[in-house]
Amino acid sequence: MERHPSVKTVSYERDYDPYSIKRDKELEDFFNEADINVRTFGTHVLYEPTQVLEKNGGVAPLTYQGFLKVVNKLGKPGFPIPPPTKLPGFFDLQKILNCNEGIEFAGPNKTFDVPAIQELGFETPLYRSPHHGGESVALQMLDKYFLDKTKVLTFEKPNTSPAAFDPASTTVLSPYVKYGCLSVRLFYQRLMDIYRNQSHSKPPVSLEGQLFWREFYYTAGYATPNFHRMEGNPICLQTNWRLKEKDDVDEEASKHLEAWRDGTTGFPWIDAIMNQLRQEGWIHHLARHSVACFLTRGDLYISWERGAEIFEYLLLDADYFLNFGNWLWLSASAFFHQYFRVYSPIAFPKKYDPEGNFVRKYVPQLSQFPKKYIYEPWKAPLEVQRKANCIIGKDYPKPIVEHDVIV
DNA sequence: ATGGAAGTTGTTGGA
DNA sequence: ATCCAACAACTTCCA
């Protein structure tokens, strides 16, 4: 790295995961060495983990209610900072940096365009997600969702359907918050604008509560060494999962993991969710619950770390703290311990989508199946399967395990 | 300190 | 339709 003579100050946003902490520390050492001022800000959270820890005697609250008590003591979160009225453009930058030659980081068109994925050396992806990035898109989505004030005021997560699509039942703003297209502080203030003088749902299930869940995991994850692993993680239950290590040799478990990832478990609800995830990069929170429970304690008994790795790769909104925190939760390894509350891949979706429309969309082989068998097609008589143009075991897989007889 | 209550959002079967 | 108890590999918190 080299210092450009006109650079006097560098500003950046503080980050809290182990990779970012290490990276920022190295950069800061370099800047100090080069006599460059460093200014950092912590505004992509409502409360910085350090603040919460300090208020709670140096330890992270491990229950949501405990977390709420601490942030109540901290008072209202900070306001978003208004956007700058003016930013230097390309030619200004050239002037400021006093360089005449084309700046290589301006891209092939010298316009700071986002390069195509192929230019970065990746293959053309199999799927094209319907979710598009950017701040303008995020703000439009926020406006649109907030048009229905009753929906916002009465929002209760367990009452939003994981089977809804076009439109989804929740905001789908998580990828934008993750990448900084939408400030969580702006989201919070816009929400407060609607809450003001109105009765509204409350945490943990409310929309406000969802933002606090994010904060909860940030604090817990920041305070916990090896948060993303079982080994060496002091809050994680030590369990003898299958595929506990990435390179463990267990042929059957590896096949099960692939089937889970590829949506070929033979459980339509699970497969539909995983297909939506691979194709679109976003799935509803309760859909995440369903497949995470299925992979770990519910059915396949495979390590939550394997699931978290796949989620991290496939999710547009993958966030270190939220992803690993939720996997700890769903596998009943930390935060949540009522292992006997297992999501059924049959009974659970029936509550939200008795017609099976979600399955029909994301597992098209089953689109003609009668609703009676849509979540357990292996039970359909052969005559029914023929009529639906889908023979189980040929056109769609038989279930890889029996849900009821997991030990 | 120790026992009871609570813990984001389970399922089943019965009244 | 709605509520409730039972199921029964738990852990944390707090009075």
Side-chain angles (χ1 to χ4, degrees), chain A residues 144-166:
Chain A
K144 197 174 169 197
Y145 197 87
F146 278 23
L147 275 179
D148 187 344
K149 298 214 167 37
T150 312
K151 185 169 65 178
V152 172
L153 290 167
T154 60
F155 184 100
E156 291 191 348
K157 191 58 152 285
N159 293 337
T160 62
S161 171
F165 59 92
D166 285 332

Side-chain angles (χ1 to χ4, degrees), chain A residues 16-66:
Chain A
Y16 313 98
D17 60 282
Y19 167 84
S20 306
I21 287 174
K22 185 167 175 281
R23 176 202 58 202
D24 294 348
K25 174 81 179 65
E26 284 169 12
L27 282 173
E28 209 162 313
D29 288 347
F30 169 81
F31 294 138
N32 286 337
E33 193 74 19
D35 206 25
I36 293 171
N37 294 318
V38 178
R39 299 167 69 207
T40 69
F41 302 89
T43 55
H44 72 239
V45 281
L46 298 174
Y47 301 96
E48 286 205 85
T50 44
Q51 266 184 292
V52 182
L53 290 180
E54 198 194 326
K55 201 76 179 171
N56 198 47
V59 293
L62 294 181
T63 66
Y64 185 78
Q65 296 304 326

Side-chain angles (χ1 to χ4, degrees), chain A residues 44-48 51 77-78 184-185 188 211-212 214-215:
Chain A
H44 72 239
V45 281
L46 298 174
Y47 301 96
E48 286 205 85
Q51 266 184 292
V184 66
R185 296 185 170 204
Y188 186 85
L211 297 182
F212 285 156
R214 177 170 180 271
E215 304 285 317

Side-chain angles (χ1 to χ4, degrees), chain A residues 337-357:
Chain A
H337 316 280
Q338 287 152 291
Y339 53 84
F340 42 83
R341 290 193 184 168
V342 174
Y343 290 87
S344 159
I346 294 118
F348 184 72
K350 271 187 192 163
K351 276 191 301 200
Y352 294 98
D353 185 10
E355 300 295 324
N357 290 329

